[in-house]
Amino acid sequence: MKRKIYIPQLAEIEFDFMQMKPESFRIIDGEMKLTFELKCNDPKYKGHNLTLGINFNFHENAIDERFPNYRYTELESLYSIELFDFNIEYQFSDFVNSKILQIAKAVMPRQYTEMQTIKTYSL
């Protein structure tokens, strides 16, 4: 999914959201967010270091019904999209936000963590 984003100092630049990559966990507004990065691949703007930070709310104990003893991190909603080094935040329509969330869920690898079970015995 390609979207043109207006950057006042430069121009309207197209980003391909299918190229998002999970990057790291960051504290934003006092809360932990999962950040994906998206770099501009337009050769005309390669020297400008144009990188979008796409921040998601997440749930780290999501349950997969097929594996009830394991948990994984699941994206819940899109929190914000910011252009690094330019201090600009972008807002899109709900439809575009849901498409970005759908793409991010598809490209994020699922890593399962086994949950410890505590056994209690009675006498």
Side-chain angles (χ1 to χ4, degrees), residues 21-39:
K21 292 184 176 36
E23 184 60 29
S24 63
F25 290 94
R26 296 176 56 209
I27 294 180
I28 301 171
D29 297 334
E31 295 181 20
M32 190 69 77
K33 305 296 177 196
L34 180 54
T35 300
F36 282 56
E37 282 193 4
L38 176 58
K39 297 191 182 293

Side-chain angles (χ1 to χ4, degrees), residues 6-95:
Y6 179 68
I7 301 171
Q9 296 88 334
L10 299 173
E12 202 172 42
I13 298 172
E14 188 173 81
F15 285 86
D16 184 358
F17 282 83
M18 297 297 287
Q19 303 301 317
M20 284 190 298
K21 292 184 176 36
E23 184 60 29
S24 63
F25 290 94
R26 296 176 56 209
I27 294 180
I28 301 171
D29 297 334
E31 295 181 20
M32 190 69 77
K33 305 296 177 196
L34 180 54
T35 300
F36 282 56
E37 282 193 4
L38 176 58
K39 297 191 182 293
C40 174
N41 56 2
D42 186 340
K44 192 164 50 170
Y45 297 102
K46 282 284 188 197
H48 289 282
N49 191 28
L50 299 174
T51 303
L52 289 177
I54 307 160
N55 306 306
F56 293 93
N57 295 312
F58 65 94
H59 178 51
E60 61 186 340
N61 287 316
I63 300 169
D64 187 332
E65 293 173 359
R66 298 170 296 165
F67 309 107
N69 293 332
Y70 291 85
R71 302 293 182 265
Y72 67 97
T73 300
E74 179 180 44
L75 301 177
E76 288 184 331
S77 60
L78 179 62
Y79 182 75
S80 65
I81 298 175
E82 57 184 311
L83 184 62
F84 293 156
D85 298 331
F86 281 84
N87 199 21
I88 300 173
E89 191 169 311
Y90 293 94
Q91 293 183 343
F92 296 120
S93 68
D94 289 341
F95 175 77

